[in-house]
Structure formats: structure tokens, C-alpha cells
Amino acid sequence: SLPCLQVYVQYLSQSGGWEMASIPQQQQDEDATKLQFGSLFENADTLINAEVCMLLEHRKAQNETDDIDEDQEMSEVFQKTLSHTKRFSKFKNKETIAAIRSLLNKHNFHKFELASLANLCPETSDEAKSLMPSLNGKYDDEEMQQILDDIKQHIGIQN
């Protein structure tokens, strides 16, 4: 199972859901714009949509080959999540995913920024900085644009 999913489930069970009244003060101080995520997410890794899609496809294939009862088919949530990740995955194969991770890792992006850039694929530096305020001041517009162009190039190569 996925460590980040376990942390998410643990978070929901501890907080009683997403209602602000039930979230402890420490968790209310979380702020993604400042890359502050709280202790529950300190050791959690991020996945990009394409990675989640590949994991879900693998799980679906396992269930199909394991001769599972029709009563135990994949849940509606599983099916919807798979459908969502298929629809929004920008990268089609393991090689492209690895290349994108490598590209973004060499620029020392925070794991949240890495996943956000890979999932959203912003067109311009301004768009990236609007979507992720934590990028402001890290890279000048030309350098950020080059990174985004490199991502687009990987998308183009796989098609």
C-alpha cells in the first residue's frame, strides 16, 4: 500500500474529516503556499497522477487475474479515481515519468511543487507562480520557463 495514502487515511480518522472545527490548531497552521504541511505529512511522499494511474491499473490487473468474486469488484471510489487519473495523467509511460521526476529533482523542488508542476503542467512561468506561490523568488522567469518547456518537450516526445 502507499505510505501517502496511509497518512491521508490517518489524517482523516484523526481529524474527523475536513471540518475546520475538528482540526487541531497545529494542523490549522498548515499552509501549502508556504510549503507548511504539518507533522502527519513530514515523511509522506507525493505521487503524480500518472504514477497513481499506473498503480491503480496494476491493482486492477491483479484483481482480474486473481479470479475475484463479482461481489468483490473494484469499488466505485476506486473506479472513479482510476478514471480521474487516466483523464488527467500527462505522462503515458514509466520512462517519461522517470525523466520528469529526474528533471524536477535536479532543480531541488519541494515534493509538493514537483507533484504540482508535473500534474498541472503550467504553460508559463507566471502561471506556475500563480498556481504555486512558493515558487516566487526561487527561479527567475527565464529559468522557470525553461523548466516548463523541458516538461512540455517530454510530453511531446511520448505522443
Side-chain angles (χ1 to χ4, degrees):
S1 77
L2 304 171
C4 57
L5 185 57
Q6 291 170 341
V7 170
Y8 175 73
V9 170
Q10 180 183 8
Y11 175 80
L12 287 177
S13 66
Q14 288 178 355
S15 70
W18 291 108
E19 296 178 28
M20 287 301 288
S22 65
I23 298 175
Q25 179 61 38
Q26 176 187 2
Q27 291 173 349
Q28 288 181 21
D29 294 334
E30 295 173 5
D31 185 352
T33 64
K34 297 175 184 171
L35 302 176
Q36 297 171 342
F37 296 99
S39 60
L40 287 175
F41 295 97
E42 279 178 9
N43 298 317
D45 288 326
T46 57
L47 295 172
I48 61 176
N49 289 336
E51 292 168 321
V52 174
C53 185
M54 292 177 90
L55 290 170
L56 295 177
E57 288 281 6
H58 178 73
R59 180 68 177 141
K60 183 178 177 184
Q62 274 183 324
N63 279 9
E64 289 170 357
T65 59
D66 289 346
D67 228 8
I68 292 185
D69 280 345
E70 288 185 26
D71 293 339
Q72 292 182 344
E73 287 184 25
M74 305 312 274
S75 73
E76 183 180 351
V77 171
F78 180 95
Q79 295 294 341
K80 285 183 177 183
T81 304
L82 178 58
S83 175
H84 173 85
T85 58
K86 279 182 180 178
R87 181 176 178 197
F88 293 104
S89 294
K90 306 287 186 188
F91 314 110
K92 310 278 187 241
N93 56 57
K94 291 178 187 178
E95 294 78 17
T96 304
I97 294 169
I100 294 298
R101 276 207 172 268
S102 175
L103 167 71
L104 296 174
N105 277 329
K106 81 176 185 183
H107 290 286
N108 295 318
F109 286 106
H110 183 276
K111 57 190 172 186
F112 172 78
E113 295 167 332
L114 184 149
S116 296
L117 285 169
N119 286 333
L120 299 172
C121 295
E123 293 286 323
T124 65
S125 177
D126 285 341
E127 183 183 4
K129 291 176 181 180
S130 293
L131 293 169
M132 292 159 278
S134 62
L135 295 175
N136 287 313
K138 277 191 175 180
Y139 300 98
D140 63 38
D141 286 340
E142 287 180 23
E143 189 175 11
M144 189 73 228
Q145 190 60 53
Q146 183 59 54
I147 294 166
L148 299 176
D149 290 344
D150 289 346
I151 293 172
K152 280 187 255 179
Q153 181 180 10
H154 285 289
I155 294 171
I157 291 172
Q158 71 179 353
N159 292 332

